[in-house]
């Protein structure tokens, strides 16, 4: 029961880059971390095969899966003999390995640009992700899973996220995207959680009511790559 | 121009210090007193708008988030000092994988333990014993996975010391020293050997000697 989703590269790219084995991504598109990797693959125009992992049946905790992801989380990833996990490291790997494919500026084209992207990727991972992923679970997933919401936890994390977004509001008033003038991995990394909060919860205004953050969200979420990921999420619900 | 590193007394900036020593890069330090709230001063927030440490200044160029700083200097000085990234894209991929593990799975519980056990009374709030117990259990589960990994691989990212191992040094030092939880490391054979190896590196010993941690709660 292996689903294959391969993205065709254009004819011109076929001449420059002969067809390689598609990379493998394990996990459901609705997972925020899996969708982070899918967005990157689509930006980089890298062919991939998406292998489903049924988390409701606990497949991510099976001995076979734990061999490729010992923490029992999605995604897992394979590129021929290279096996990796942790979505942000998979994204970095894709940008380095396939530097000349697709969006070549996604991880910067010089060391200072790359450092700025890493800075904002770390800000996403360390400051944005913790409160926003708690809110995604509480507001978008708990109701579907018939798990009782914890209002105190929601309030605490909403406050934390609001503080982080104040910093973003200031930054995005000075800079079109987080790390500079171009869309980068740093912005991409924010797509999954923000998408759920804006579209599947009643706290979207945390983003949309802020002038600069709202503008930025509108821009990054309308990229073709993200639209395709959202489509994939819809198809598998 | 010598790179300046802010907040050397504390753990996260120490990641940067040990990296710079491994890469044989000269640096200066600028103290930041967290207990006096210096990290929330308007002047500091101009450098680091999230109000956390470290931040580095390299001439006109400012960079924050310790792991971003690690990557920048490890790459910039790739041809000198210790290679902390690996020689191929694939080797680097594994280093990045385990550096993200540290950031996403190891750091949150050990940071909570640090704040609760070492800083709660200084910061003026009571210890949350339930949170401490929970965090220790989470950290133990991560260390079990490390035990398995390190039984097959000399270092986390492969057969060479890398950013992935280095990133663990500062908070793990708090764990075994000030927090009195050395048993968490010693009860795991391969984690124990790995800890001895990485913490005895001259670069780390120099950091501990030059920049002692703030005194206990």
């Amino acid at each position: 029961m292996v689903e294959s989703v391969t993205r065709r590269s254009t004819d011109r790219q076929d001449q420059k880059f002969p067809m390689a084995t598609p990379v493998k991504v394990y996990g459901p598109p609705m997972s925020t971390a899996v969708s982070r990797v899918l967005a990157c693959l689509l930006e980089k125009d890298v062919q991939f095969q998406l292998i489903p992992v049924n988390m409701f049946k606990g497949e991510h905790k099976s001995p076979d899966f734990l061999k490729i992801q010992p923490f029992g989380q999605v995604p897992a990833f394979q590129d021929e003999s290279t096996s990796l996990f942790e979505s942000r490291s998979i994204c970095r790997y894709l940008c380095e390995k396939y530097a000349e494919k697709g969006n070549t500026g996604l991880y910067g084209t010089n060391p200072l640009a790359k450092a700025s992207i890493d800075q904002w990727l770390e800000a996403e991972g360390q400051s944005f992700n913790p409160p926003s992923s708690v809110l995604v679970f509480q507001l978008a997933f708990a109701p579907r899973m018939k798990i009782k919401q914890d209002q105190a936890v929601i309030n605490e994390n909403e406050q934390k996220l609001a503080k982080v977004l104040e910093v973003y509001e200031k930054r995005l008033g000075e800079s079109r995207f987080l790390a500079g003038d171009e869309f980068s991995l740093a912005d991409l990394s924010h797509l999954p959680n923000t998408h759920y909060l804006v579209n599947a919860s009643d706290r979207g205004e945390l983003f949309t009511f802020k002038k600069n953050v709202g503008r930025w969200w509108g821009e990054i979420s309308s990229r073709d790559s993200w639209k395709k990921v959202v489509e994939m999420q819809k198809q598998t619900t | 121009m010598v790179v300046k590193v802010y907040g050397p007394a504390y753990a996260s900036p120490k990641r940067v210090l040990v990296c710079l020593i491994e890469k044989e890069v000269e640096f200066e330090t600028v103290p930041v007193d967290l207990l006096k709230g210096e990290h929330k001063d308007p002047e500091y927030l101009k450098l680091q708008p999230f109000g956390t440490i470290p931040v580095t200044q390299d001439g006109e160029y400012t960079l924050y988030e310790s792991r971003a700083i690690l990557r920048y200097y490890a790459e910039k000085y790739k041809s000198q000092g210790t290679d902390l990234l690996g020689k191929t894209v694939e080797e680097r991929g594994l280093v990045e994988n385990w550096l993200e593990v540290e950031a996403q799975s190891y750091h949150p519980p050990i940071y909570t333990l640090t704040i609760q056990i070492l800083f709660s009374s200084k910061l003026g709030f009571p210890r949350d014993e339930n949170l401490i117990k929970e965090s220790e259990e989470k950290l133990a589960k991560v260390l079990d996975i490390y035990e398995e990994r390190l039984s097959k691989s000399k270092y986390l990212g492969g057969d060479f010391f890398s950013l992935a191992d280095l990133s663990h040094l500062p908070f793990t030092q708090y764990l075994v020293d000030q927090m009195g939880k050395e048993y968490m490391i010693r009860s795991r054979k391969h984690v124990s050997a790995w800890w001895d190896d990485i913490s005895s590196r001259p670069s780390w010993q120099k950091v501990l000697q030059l920049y002692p941690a703030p005194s206990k709660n």
Side-chain angles (χ1 to χ4, degrees):
Chain A
M1 197 196 75
V2 170
E3 252 178 66
S4 237
V5 178
T6 47
R7 170 104 173 55
R8 292 195 190 286
S9 49
T10 62
D11 286 342
R12 199 151 48 104
Q13 283 187 318
D14 274 336
Q15 282 162 24
K16 199 175 173 192
F17 300 108
M19 183 106 139
T21 320
V23 304
K24 290 185 182 148
V25 183
Y26 295 78
M30 66 161 201
S31 145
T32 50
V34 172
S35 70
R36 184 176 287 120
V37 173
L38 297 177
C40 183
L41 285 163
L42 290 162
E43 282 283 333
K44 292 301 292 172
D45 208 16
V46 171
Q47 293 201 349
F48 63 92
Q49 190 186 2
L50 183 62
I51 296 163
V53 175
N54 190 326
M55 296 178 75
F56 293 106
K57 287 193 182 154
E59 279 178 14
H60 54 310
K61 307 291 181 189
S62 72
D64 274 342
F65 190 79
L66 291 173
K67 281 185 192 136
I68 57 174
Q69 217 295 11
F71 292 82
Q73 296 166 334
V74 290
F77 171 89
Q78 281 163 342
D79 182 358
E80 303 200 62
S81 60
T82 301
S83 213
L84 297 173
F85 56 94
E86 285 296 339
S87 62
R88 296 169 192 81
S89 83
I90 296 165
C91 290
R92 287 183 170 99
Y93 167 83
L94 288 169
C95 287
E96 273 208 45
K97 176 99 190 265
Y98 301 101
E100 271 134 67
K101 293 209 81 186
N103 183 339
T104 56
L106 195 60
Y107 200 10
T109 49
N110 66 72
L112 290 183
K114 190 180 186 190
S116 181
I117 295 167
D118 271 329
Q119 175 185 280
W120 285 96
L121 250 171
E122 286 295 327
E124 182 272 319
Q126 294 295 312
S127 297
F128 179 86
N129 187 59
S132 64
S133 60
V134 169
L135 287 174
V136 168
F137 176 76
Q138 288 285 332
L139 300 173
F141 284 95
R144 301 186 203 183
M145 293 161 72
K146 309 252 196 282
I147 293 174
K148 188 165 188 265
Q149 291 175 316
D150 185 332
Q151 203 52 52
V153 163
I154 291 172
N155 291 343
E156 188 191 326
N157 285 280
E158 195 181 326
Q159 277 175 31
K160 282 182 183 166
L161 183 59
K163 281 210 173 91
V164 170
L165 290 175
E166 273 171 34
V167 178
Y168 281 33
E169 180 64 7
K170 183 158 191 289
R171 171 61 179 170
L172 292 164
E174 297 157 358
S175 178
R176 186 175 170 199
F177 297 101
L178 285 172
D181 297 330
E182 304 287 330
F183 176 80
S184 76
L185 259 193
D187 309 286
L188 184 153
S189 205
H190 291 76
L191 286 162
N193 290 6
T194 310
H195 171 78
Y196 278 121
L197 291 178
V198 170
N199 296 292
S201 89
D202 61 355
R203 297 299 199 277
E205 59 200 48
L206 280 168
F207 296 86
T208 57
F209 277 25
K210 287 185 159 62
K211 178 172 159 230
N212 303 321
V213 170
R215 187 268 310 156
W216 166 77
W217 173 247
E219 273 209 68
I220 68 172
S221 57
S222 58
R223 288 183 78 86
D224 283 342
S225 56
W226 186 246
K227 284 182 183 167
K228 288 193 177 102
V229 174
V230 172
E231 208 31 61
M232 290 175 72
Q233 289 184 335
K234 287 187 181 146
Q235 280 170 15
T236 53
T237 325
Chain B
M1 273 252 83
V2 172
V3 59
K4 285 188 193 151
V5 184
Y6 284 68
Y10 301 96
S12 296
K14 286 188 163 71
R15 287 191 185 104
V16 174
L17 300 179
V18 69
C19 174
L20 292 172
I21 297 174
E22 288 280 348
K23 298 308 294 175
E24 296 164 10
V25 176
E26 262 193 79
F27 60 88
E28 283 170 8
T29 59
V30 180
V32 177
D33 191 334
L34 298 188
L35 297 177
K36 287 192 183 150
E38 286 178 0
H39 55 310
K40 304 295 180 189
D41 284 350
E43 283 308 302
Y44 187 78
L45 292 173
K46 279 184 196 152
L47 297 175
Q48 216 292 16
F50 295 90
T52 58
I53 47 167
V55 64
T56 54
Q57 272 178 312
D58 200 340
E60 287 300 304
Y61 184 62
T62 301
L63 189 58
Y64 55 84
E65 283 298 338
S66 61
R67 297 174 195 84
I69 301 166
L70 294 184
R71 290 177 175 103
Y72 176 67
Y73 285 100
E75 266 201 55
K76 183 174 180 180
Y77 295 100
K78 203 167 203 311
S79 56
Q80 69 184 57
T82 312
D83 173 19
L84 296 169
L85 295 170
K87 295 181 182 53
T88 63
V89 173
E90 290 72 25
E91 282 186 355
R92 173 114 196 223
L94 273 175
V95 170
E96 290 286 358
N97 185 146
W98 288 90
L99 182 53
E100 277 298 319
V101 168
E102 184 275 323
Q104 293 294 321
S105 297
Y106 191 84
H107 183 72
I110 200 172
Y111 179 78
T112 300
L113 286 174
T114 301
I115 295 298
Q116 287 292 323
I117 298 172
L118 299 186
F119 290 97
S120 54
S121 95
K122 284 183 192 175
L123 292 172
F125 58 84
R127 275 167 67 129
D128 183 337
E129 295 300 340
N130 270 336
L131 190 53
I132 290 171
K133 180 164 176 277
E134 236 178 62
S135 299
E136 186 168 332
E137 282 167 12
K138 280 184 184 162
L139 187 62
K141 288 205 170 103
V142 175
L143 285 169
D144 286 341
I145 294 170
Y146 280 25
E147 181 63 11
E148 173 66 24
R149 171 64 180 166
L150 293 165
S151 72
K152 293 183 280 199
S153 180
K154 183 163 188 213
Y155 295 98
L156 286 173
D159 60 10
F160 58 96
F161 176 76
S162 75
L163 288 187
D165 311 285
L166 180 153
S167 199
H168 290 78
L169 285 163
F171 285 91
T172 311
Q173 194 71 51
Y174 276 161
L175 188 75
V176 307
D177 286 345
Q178 293 95 328
M179 287 198 250
K181 294 190 183 293
E182 192 176 356
Y183 58 84
M184 293 189 78
I185 301 297
R186 296 302 173 207
S187 59
R188 295 168 171 89
K189 180 174 151 203
H190 298 97
V191 170
S192 180
W194 166 79
W195 175 249
D196 281 339
D197 184 316
I198 68 172
S199 60
S200 63
R201 290 180 78 89
S203 57
W204 183 241
Q205 290 301 311
K206 192 165 178 199
V207 170
L208 290 178
Q209 193 184 52
L210 292 176
Y211 307 103
S215 55
K216 211 185 158 173
N217 233 348

